[in-house]
């Protein structure tokens, strides 16, 4: 029996689910940005396209990292943690801008996924002992 035949622990499974949910949400933002790039008048097209490309790349990265972790690839954990840490300043600036209803849950999401990724069951499943 290989380690891959053992079911994913709940902590790793939830981390994967949340990373994939983040990828879908960011993908929807990317679709909206693409639509906005095509229909809105802009003063700086290069910046608009750069923001759109960043959103698309983020969605692809989150989806790929979720897949890597679902396959128990330990190398996917560190980049996933870095992306989750990026939610902290984003959430903070949302709170500062009056969007606390969105900023606080984003920060909690990032910290929660990090907690799942560094938990003991996840460590064992990824081969960290």
């Amino acid at each position: 029996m290989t380690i891959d035949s053992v079911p994913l622990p709940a902590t790793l499974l939830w981390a994967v689910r949340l990373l994939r949910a983040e990828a879908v949400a960011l993908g929807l933002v990317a679709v909206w940005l693409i639509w906005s790039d095509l229909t809105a008048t802009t003063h700086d097209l290069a910046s608009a396209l750069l923001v759109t490309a960043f959103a698309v790349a983020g969605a692809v990265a989150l989806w790929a990292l979720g897949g890597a972790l679902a396959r128990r690839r330990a190398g996917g954990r560190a980049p996933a943690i870095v992306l989750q840490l990026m939610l902290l300043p984003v959430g903070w600036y949302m709170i500062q801008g009056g969007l606390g209803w969105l900023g606080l849950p984003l920060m909690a999401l990032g910290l929660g996924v990090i907690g799942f990724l560094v938990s003991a069951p996840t460590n064992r499943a990824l081969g960290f002992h």
Side-chain angles (χ1 to χ4, degrees):
M1 178 165 82
T2 66
I3 193 167
D4 289 343
S5 64
V6 177
L8 291 177
T11 55
L12 184 54
L13 184 61
W14 275 104
V16 169
R17 287 176 179 165
L18 291 171
L19 286 169
R20 292 272 172 97
E22 289 176 21
V24 170
L26 191 52
L28 292 173
V29 169
V31 168
W32 177 79
L33 286 169
I34 291 168
W35 177 81
S36 181
D37 291 345
L38 294 173
T39 60
T41 57
T42 181
H43 294 93
D44 190 359
L45 181 60
S47 293
L49 294 175
L50 185 62
V51 170
T52 303
F54 186 75
V56 170
V60 169
L62 285 165
W63 190 267
L65 289 169
L69 289 167
R71 291 186 307 277
R72 291 184 165 87
R73 303 292 187 254
R77 184 169 79 162
I81 290 172
V82 169
L83 289 179
Q84 297 311 296
L85 287 172
M86 290 174 67
L87 289 177
L88 299 179
V90 170
W92 175 256
Y93 283 107
M94 286 182 158
I95 292 168
Q96 296 300 310
L99 295 173
W101 61 271
L102 184 57
L104 280 173
L106 275 179
M107 293 173 78
L109 173 64
L111 291 173
V113 173
I114 290 170
F116 287 142
L117 289 172
V118 299
S119 68
T122 298
N123 284 340
R124 282 189 298 278
L126 294 177
F128 299 113
H129 298 284

